[in-house]
């Protein structure tokens, strides 16, 4: 297919064909990364600015590595030492970065819609690295890339997403990708974090952990955000763990070949036992590694990369 998008804002706007195309491109880059060391050259001469206004470890570093692997220069915006602390607006910040001749912006922001807003103002590609509770498209892409590597086609596969779904941009992006791929997605957790309205996204809503996990081929855990407890969404972390934490017994309900996923950062002993996070069925660090090839594919395609420039 011919890629026509300049921005990557959310997976709900992508067709299944576009997701397949990103994954196919990522497979090419993953193979190239496993070959002899050395930079690829598709983005040589380009400069990418990582405009992260929220904390990040995995996403920020892997975008930086992805851009460098493609030959681009990268600049990490330092929010704490930037003029945003003097009250400069997001619009002015981004327009100044563009005036400095950046070729692409990767943005993480606490406000849902911030990447869309910039994409309407700027003339350069804008890539969403997580906006509020709305979307984290490259996380959804790397998660589904990892599932496809492990399981092949996702059509009809039972996937359980467990935890803080309501406020999770990761869950939302995965749901949009997985439903397009034909997976049978169940979201499960306490009713305060997993409301019935999520069924509108084409998933099964459950508050019964055993039935949600039974025979699931993928379980994706989400970080329990401590601030939800203060907001009265659940009584205590201990109670959450007692009712919904993934432990050895509960993992035995899964399909025998099931994989355990988590986007990170993980709360060991809260949403997942350490033994499971580090165990044979866990693909948590594989997800992180796949993030580089998937983000290379996104940067390459949104920068207008052509098939003839692929390694
Ligand atoms: N999964 C994820 O977005 O992690 P970071 O917040 O560390 O980037």
């Amino acid at each position: 297919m011919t890629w026509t998008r300049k921005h990557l804002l959310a997976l709900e706007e992508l067709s299944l064909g576009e997701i397949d195309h990103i994954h196919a491109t990522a497979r090419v880059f993953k193979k190239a990364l496993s070959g002899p060391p050395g930079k690829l050259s598709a983005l040589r001469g380009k400069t990418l600015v990582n405009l992260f206004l929220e904390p990040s470890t995995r996403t920020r570093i892997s975008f930086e590595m992805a851009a460098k692997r493609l030959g681009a220069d990268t600049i990490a915006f330092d929010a704490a030492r930037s003029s945003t602390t003097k009250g400069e607006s997001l619009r002015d910040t981004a327009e100044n970065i563009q005036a400095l001749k950046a070729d692409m912006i990767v943005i993480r922001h606490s406000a849902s819609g911030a990447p869309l807003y910039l994409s309407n103002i700027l003339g350069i590609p804008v890539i969403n690295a997580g906006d509020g509770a709305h979307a984290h498209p490259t996380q959804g892409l790397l998660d589904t890339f990892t599932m496809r590597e492990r399981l092949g086609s996702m059509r009809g596969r039972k996937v359980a997403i467990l935890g803080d779904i309501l406020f999770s941009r990761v869950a939302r992006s995965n749901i949009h990708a997985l439903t397009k791929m034909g997976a049978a997605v169940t979201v499960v957790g306490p009713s305060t974090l997993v409301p019935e309205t999520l069924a509108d996204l084409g998933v099964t809503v459950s508050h019964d952990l055993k039935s949600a996990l039974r025979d699931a081929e993928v379980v994706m855990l989400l970080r329990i955000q401590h601030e939800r407890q203060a907001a009265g969404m659940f009584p205590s972390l201990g109670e959450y763990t007692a009712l919904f934490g993934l432990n050895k017994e509960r993992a035995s309900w899964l399909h025998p070949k099931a994989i355990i996923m988590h986007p990170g950062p993980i709360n060991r002993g809260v949403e997942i036992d350490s033994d499971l996070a580090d165990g044979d069925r866990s693909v948590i660090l594989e997800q992180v590694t796949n993030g580089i090839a998937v983000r290379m594919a996104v940067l390459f395609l949104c920068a207008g990369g052509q098939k003839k420039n692929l390694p």
Side-chain angles (χ1 to χ4, degrees):
M1 73 169 291
T2 308
W3 184 264
T4 54
R5 289 182 190 274
K6 185 158 95 178
H7 312 290
L8 180 69
L9 303 175
L11 296 188
E12 59 259 45
E13 62 192 34
L14 263 56
S15 67
L16 177 59
E18 288 174 308
I19 293 172
D20 290 346
H21 190 60
I22 293 171
H23 282 172
T25 308
R27 279 195 294 277
V28 174
F29 284 127
K30 184 166 179 177
K31 196 167 173 214
L33 288 173
S34 68
K39 283 182 181 176
L40 306 164
S41 60
L43 296 190
R44 185 160 295 150
K46 307 258 185 212
T47 301
L48 176 140
V49 173
N50 258 334
L51 179 57
F52 276 57
L53 292 140
E54 264 194 348
S56 167
T57 296
R58 284 148 286 269
T59 313
R60 189 178 58 77
I61 293 175
S62 72
F63 264 116
E64 188 160 343
M65 291 185 80
K68 284 188 191 314
R69 296 285 183 270
L70 289 168
D73 294 319
T74 62
I75 295 176
F77 178 82
D78 182 350
R81 290 196 290 166
S82 75
S83 290
T84 57
T85 60
K86 299 179 223 168
E88 189 166 36
S89 69
L90 176 63
R91 179 185 188 131
D92 285 334
T93 302
E95 285 185 333
N96 277 273
I97 290 170
Q98 181 174 248
L100 289 164
K101 304 298 176 199
D103 296 290
M104 298 183 95
I105 286 186
V106 176
I107 177 172
R108 172 170 286 191
H109 201 285
S110 58
S112 297
L116 171 65
Y117 173 69
L118 289 193
S119 73
N120 287 326
I121 294 170
L122 302 179
I124 57 178
V126 175
I127 311 297
N128 183 1
D131 61 329
H134 170 230
H136 193 346
T138 55
Q139 184 71 46
L141 288 166
L142 74 89
D143 290 339
T144 48
F145 180 88
T146 305
M147 291 181 218
R148 281 176 150 178
E149 266 197 339
R150 286 293 191 131
L151 304 174
S153 167
M154 291 307 294
R155 187 153 297 282
R157 303 276 190 186
K158 186 173 175 187
V159 178
I161 306 180
L162 166 58
D164 184 355
I165 314 290
L166 181 60
F167 297 98
S168 173
R169 56 196 178 203
V170 174
R172 222 165 285 279
S173 290
N174 269 285
I175 287 168
H176 285 299
L178 285 165
T179 50
K180 286 173 207 278
M181 292 174 188
V185 182
T186 299
V187 291
V188 58
S191 55
T192 45
L193 298 177
V194 186
E196 301 297 331
T197 50
L198 287 166
D200 295 346
L201 297 176
V203 299
T204 301
V205 176
S206 172
H207 311 297
D208 175 356
L209 188 57
K210 193 165 193 174
S211 72
L213 294 188
R214 190 175 295 125
D215 295 328
E217 290 171 88
V218 178
V219 59
M220 178 181 295
L221 306 164
L222 299 173
R223 182 173 68 90
I224 289 300
Q225 303 182 43
H226 296 247
E227 59 273 25
R228 307 292 171 232
Q229 189 190 335
M233 295 294 188
F234 52 90
S236 70
L237 286 180
E239 182 163 320
Y240 178 86
T241 305
L243 293 173
F244 291 103
L246 190 68
N247 55 30
K248 199 173 167 193
E249 187 206 337
R250 291 169 180 166
S252 74
W253 302 336
L254 296 163
H255 187 282
K257 293 187 177 160
I259 55 172
I260 296 172
M261 307 185 76
H262 194 309
I266 61 176
N267 294 309
R268 290 175 182 267
V270 178
E271 66 262 5
I272 184 168
D273 272 6
S274 248
D275 286 352
L276 292 175
D278 301 329
D280 290 348
R281 301 163 97 181
S282 168
V283 297
I284 294 171
L285 293 178
E286 213 171 293
Q287 290 169 256
V288 177
T289 303
N290 283 336
I292 302 172
V294 168
R295 290 181 172 118
M296 285 172 80
V298 168
L299 295 177
F300 174 82
L301 292 169
C302 290
Q306 303 294 319
K307 201 170 177 184
K308 64 179 186 314
N309 303 122
L310 282 171

